[in-house]
């Protein structure tokens, strides 16, 4: 059988996590299909690039209009396939994408246009230089299930507005949402070859890395990110890696307990704790510790867990059984080492297959997995600290560095502390919502990743920087060309003095010594 007609025998299923029902099954795209998609993207990309930024922005504007019109359908589909409450699908997925489109519509032209590079060196004054931003060509995107719409859409929009074609390999758990994104983009006028979705599993993703794409934007776990970095290294494929987090929240002694506790439970439980930016560790000043944990436990017990389609629901199901087992294993380890469960701590089997009660833990420490590994579930572990230095040390005692938050009524103190925390983003008096600030760069340090998405820096990842320099005196030989010799050397010494000597007299002497350079004969 030739590779062209080989078909993949692996299948994946899209399942409603609240009910366990299969929504649709897909055959994974095999190597040949992945390569064919990338070839089609290549063939179409140069015309797309030549279309110009303004024309591509007008397609983006149409996409934004369509998405706004279809917002409820899109949000409902996200809830059915990923489980999150409908209103969260609207705010953290649809709104994030609408606003990211707004950012690009308003700024992409300015950010992508050529940039003059003035020359400071006297020897280079006859030249004019500029930075040119060129698309990479075909950008591969591999995305996770937890934000199945906003993650691939924000990345794809900036890739495409910059003139790239995109081939998206969505999570095997959320193919339907990715196909809906594809439909919207095509309806808005994006050529079919410029945005293509290839449903599949990890092997499909691996095939995409091997397919000859020019850059990869990967979002997912640290474990997969490391495999991808290794595969990419073999091809010297540039990658952006948006990986996991174990975000700390620091509640200082002057914080408002009522406000910060509400922030803690939202930050820990939004999307059932399955956000890369979830509050996964909470450190509270000892003077506030007992009241803080008590209020968090009371508020956690009030949260309504259920099917995200119900508008009263605040916490939906986890994505699948494996995720629940991970949460249970972290809980078991923490409790066996002395953690106190103040709320939750159990599955909610009566609601459906994948529900877990919002859980608040006290008496935790850094020996426990719950404070070291990404839990990715509705768990808020809270630990006491004695002073700001200890809080910073605890926050930084992690292999991760995605985001963090500091809670205080003194913004100056909060900002100062934010600078001491090793993370890609630090918010003062909020968490998680930075993902919805389209101007803000998103990305981590340490094991949380490499590179940035969103905003200006996210757009810069989608282009190759080319430097173009043009000499304004094409008929003149440059003074630094051959021939060398004693006279030329003296002139150049003088030239260095003219430019860089500290005293005026020495600089003037340098001017006199170097003046003869223009009379010298060049080969
Ligand atoms: P995952 O790593 O299991 O999968 C992510 C994607 O990689 C999926 O599409 C998967 O099919 C693909 N994949 C798996 N193996 C592959 C391989 N060998 N080669 C190529 N592709 C492969 O992650 P997940 O469970 O889908 O998502 C949850 C993780 O993502 C969490 O760790 C979370 O913190 C992280 N995440 C990070 C961000 C961020 O912006 N930093 C955002 C969302 C999620």
């Amino acid at each position: 059988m030739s590779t062209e007609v080989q078909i993949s025998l692996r299948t994946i299923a899209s399942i409603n996590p609240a009910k366990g029902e299969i929504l649709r099954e897909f055959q994974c795209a095999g190597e040949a299909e992945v390569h064919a998609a990338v070839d089609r993207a290549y063939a179409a990309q140069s015309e797309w690039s030549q279309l110009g930024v303004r024309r591509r922005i007008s397609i983006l504007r149409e996409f934004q209009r369509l998405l706004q019109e279809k917002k409820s359908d899109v949000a409902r589909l996200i809830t059915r396939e990923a489980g999150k409450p409908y209103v969260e699908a609207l705010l953290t997925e649809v709104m994030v994408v609408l606003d990211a489109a707004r950012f690009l519509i308003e700024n992409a032209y300015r950010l992508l246009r050529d940039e003059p590079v003035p020359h400071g060196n006297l020897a280079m004054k006859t030249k004019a230089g500029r930075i040119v931003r060129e698309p990479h060509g075909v950008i591969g995107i591999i995305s996770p299930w937890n934000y199945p719409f906003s993650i691939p859409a924000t990345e794809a929009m900036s890739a495409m507005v910059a003139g790239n074609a995109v081939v998206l390999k969505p999570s095997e758990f959320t193919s339907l949402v990715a196909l809906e994104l594809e439909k919207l983009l095509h309806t808005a006028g994006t050529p079919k070859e410029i945005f293509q979705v290839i449903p599949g599993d990890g092997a499909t993703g691996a095939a995409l890395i091997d397919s000859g794409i020019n850059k990869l934007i990967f979002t997912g776990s640290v474990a997969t990110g490391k495999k991808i970095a290794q595969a990419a290294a073999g091809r010297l494929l540039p990658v952006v890696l948006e990986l996991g987090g174990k975000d700390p929240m620091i509640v200082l002694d002057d914080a408002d307990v009522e406000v910060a506790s509400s922030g803690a439970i939202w930050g820990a439980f939004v999307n059932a704790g399955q956000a890369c930016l979830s509050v996964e560790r909470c450190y509270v000043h000892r003077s506030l510790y007992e009241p803080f944990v008590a209020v968090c436990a009371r508020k956690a017990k009030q949260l309504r867990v259920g099917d995200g389609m119900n508008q009263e629901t605040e916490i939906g199901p986890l994505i699948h059984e494996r995720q629940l087992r991970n949460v249970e294993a972290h809980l078991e380890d923490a409790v066996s080492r002395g953690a106190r469960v103040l709320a939750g701590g159990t599955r909610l089997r009566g609601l459906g297959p994948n529900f877990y009660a919002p859980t608040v833990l006290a008496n935790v420490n850094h020996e426990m997995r719950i404070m070291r590994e990404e839990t990715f579930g509705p768990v808020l572990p809270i630990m006491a600290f004695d002073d700001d230095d200890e809080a910073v040390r605890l926050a930084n005692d992690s292999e991760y560095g995605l985001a963090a938050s500091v809670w205080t009524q003194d913004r100056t103190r909060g900002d100062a502390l934010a600078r001491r925390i090793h993370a890609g983003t630090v918010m003062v008096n909020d968490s998680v919502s930075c993902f919805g600030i389209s101007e803000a760069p998103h990305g981590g340090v340490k094991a949380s990743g490499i590179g940035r998405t969103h905003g200006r820096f996210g757009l810069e990842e989608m282009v190759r920087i080319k430097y173009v320099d043009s000499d304004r005196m094409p008929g003149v030989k440059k003074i630094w060309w051959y021939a060398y010799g004693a006279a030329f050397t003296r002139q150049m010494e003088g030239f260095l003095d003219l430019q860089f000597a500290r005293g005026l007299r020495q600089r003037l002497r340098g001017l006199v010594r170097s003046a003869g350079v223009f009379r010298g004969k060049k080969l």
Side-chain angles (χ1 to χ4, degrees):
M1 201 158 50
S2 80
T3 43
E4 280 68 31
V5 292
Q6 256 177 25
I7 52 160
S8 161
L9 298 176
R10 301 184 321 274
T11 56
I12 49 174
S14 167
I15 295 172
N16 179 340
K19 299 189 166 149
E21 67 176 315
I22 293 183
L23 300 172
R24 202 164 128 191
E25 286 184 310
F26 295 87
Q27 207 152 64
C28 293
E31 209 178 296
E33 289 154 275
V34 172
H35 283 237
V38 172
D39 288 349
R40 283 194 297 275
Y42 266 114
Q45 186 268 331
S46 100
E47 195 180 326
W48 175 247
S49 165
Q50 281 158 25
L51 206 58
V53 182
R54 287 190 202 275
R55 180 74 194 103
R56 295 194 294 268
I57 285 176
S58 70
I59 293 174
L60 195 54
R61 197 177 277 118
E62 176 58 10
F63 166 73
Q64 190 197 39
R65 190 194 66 75
L66 265 175
L67 177 58
Q68 160 65 15
E69 200 179 283
K70 303 242 179 242
K71 59 184 180 303
S72 309
D73 296 345
V74 174
R76 267 195 289 273
L77 180 63
I78 295 168
T79 297
R80 280 180 75 209
E81 203 180 30
K84 67 189 64 185
Y86 169 77
V87 73
E88 269 181 29
L90 267 185
L91 296 177
T92 65
E93 302 256 22
V94 176
M95 186 178 81
V96 165
V97 177
L98 288 171
D99 194 65
R102 189 265 316 149
F103 170 80
L104 292 169
I105 290 165
E106 288 174 2
N107 298 291
Y109 182 76
R110 176 178 60 82
L111 294 172
L112 291 169
R113 77 180 161 203
D114 292 1
E115 198 179 304
V117 179
H119 297 356
N121 186 340
L122 269 183
M124 304 293 171
K125 284 290 183 193
T126 63
K127 297 170 174 301
R130 80 193 69 93
I131 303 281
V132 175
R133 291 177 169 82
E134 292 182 336
H136 289 276
V138 179
I139 292 195
I141 295 178
I142 299 179
S143 57
W145 48 264
N146 65 333
Y147 287 90
F149 190 69
S150 56
I151 289 175
T154 51
E155 295 169 355
M157 287 190 302
S158 47
M160 292 189 302
V161 84
N164 299 283
V166 167
V167 179
L168 164 65
K169 205 302 283 174
S171 166
E172 49 273 53
F173 303 106
T174 51
S175 311
L176 286 174
V177 171
L179 291 170
E180 184 63 23
L181 171 64
E182 184 181 56
K183 198 163 101 191
L184 286 168
L185 283 166
H186 290 172
T187 310
T190 311
K192 289 201 167 19
E193 304 77 16
I194 294 300
F195 183 80
Q196 299 175 70
V197 173
I198 44 165
D201 54 11
T204 306
L208 181 61
I209 297 170
D210 267 350
S211 67
I213 52 173
N214 302 105
K215 184 155 184 172
L216 176 73
I217 315 291
F218 170 78
T219 309
S221 62
V222 173
T224 312
K226 285 181 180 170
K227 283 189 211 160
I228 283 180
Q230 276 171 353
R235 289 193 47 225
L236 289 181
L237 174 70
V239 288
V240 169
L241 300 175
E242 294 284 7
L243 308 180
K246 190 75 194 166
D247 291 4
M249 164 171 181
I250 298 176
V251 182
L252 297 181
D253 52 9
D254 68 341
D256 181 320
V257 170
E258 179 52 30
V259 172
S261 57
S262 291
I265 63 160
W266 184 77
F269 302 147
V270 64
N271 201 18
Q274 304 167 115
C276 54
L277 296 165
S278 293
V279 170
E280 289 237 350
R281 301 177 280 150
C282 186
Y283 303 101
V284 180
H285 190 267
R286 200 171 298 281
S287 63
L288 305 179
Y289 188 74
E290 285 306 331
F292 188 90
V293 293
V295 180
C296 285
R298 174 173 55 77
K299 290 179 178 173
K301 287 177 189 161
Q302 287 170 11
L303 292 170
R304 291 167 299 218
V305 185
D307 189 330
M309 284 299 189
N310 179 345
Q311 297 203 2
E312 303 304 312
T313 292
E314 283 151 331
I315 301 186
L318 272 69
I319 191 76
H320 48 44
E321 171 67 24
R322 191 152 37 87
Q323 207 54 49
L324 272 127
R325 283 208 220 108
N326 190 51
V327 173
E328 284 177 332
H330 283 199
L331 246 290
E332 225 176 276
D333 173 73
V335 170
S336 74
R337 292 169 190 266
R340 274 192 296 147
V341 182
L342 302 182
T346 52
R347 288 190 188 220
L348 298 171
R349 289 186 199 276
L351 295 176
N354 297 311
F355 291 93
Y356 198 90
T359 299
V360 176
L361 293 183
N363 288 8
V364 292
N365 60 54
H366 278 209
E367 302 297 304
M368 300 172 180
R369 292 178 68 192
I370 205 117
M371 295 300 271
R372 304 214 75 91
E373 299 170 27
E374 192 178 39
T375 307
F376 230 52
V379 183
L380 174 64
I382 313 176
M383 181 173 171
F385 66 85
D386 288 304
D387 57 39
D388 290 9
D389 287 347
E390 189 190 5
V392 170
R393 187 178 56 70
L394 288 168
N396 289 341
D397 178 23
S398 173
E399 68 166 302
Y400 296 97
L402 190 56
S405 61
V406 179
W407 297 71
T408 169
Q409 308 220 35
D410 178 347
R411 285 182 53 207
T412 312
R413 185 178 171 203
D415 286 355
L417 214 76
R419 286 166 196 273
R420 297 173 61 194
I421 296 172
H422 305 155
T425 299
V426 185
M427 299 194 84
V428 178
N429 293 324
D430 200 4
S431 64
V432 185
S433 63
C434 49
F435 194 72
I437 303 167
S438 302
E439 288 73 11
H442 173 69
V445 299
K446 300 196 275 184
S448 291
I450 298 171
R452 294 292 179 265
T453 54
H454 292 199
R456 172 157 68 92
F457 294 97
L459 196 57
E460 290 280 355
E461 296 278 7
M462 304 303 179
V463 289
R464 276 196 288 247
I465 297 295
K466 178 184 270 182
Y467 177 63
V468 176
D469 195 283
S470 176
D471 198 278
R472 284 186 280 234
M473 297 174 73
V476 176
K477 291 181 182 177
K478 310 301 165 246
I479 55 169
W480 52 88
W481 293 356
Y482 301 126
Y484 298 165
F488 178 65
T489 304
R490 269 195 313 281
Q491 286 156 358
M492 286 300 104
E493 285 169 351
F495 186 65
L496 263 63
D497 287 347
L498 168 66
Q499 281 210 83
F500 304 110
R502 288 295 138 106
L504 181 62
R505 191 178 303 168
Q506 206 183 346
R507 292 180 91 153
L508 287 174
R509 225 182 291 135
L511 173 65
V512 173
R513 276 178 82 188
S514 59
V517 75
F518 297 105
R519 292 193 301 274
K521 285 254 183 300
K522 290 287 155 199
L523 287 182

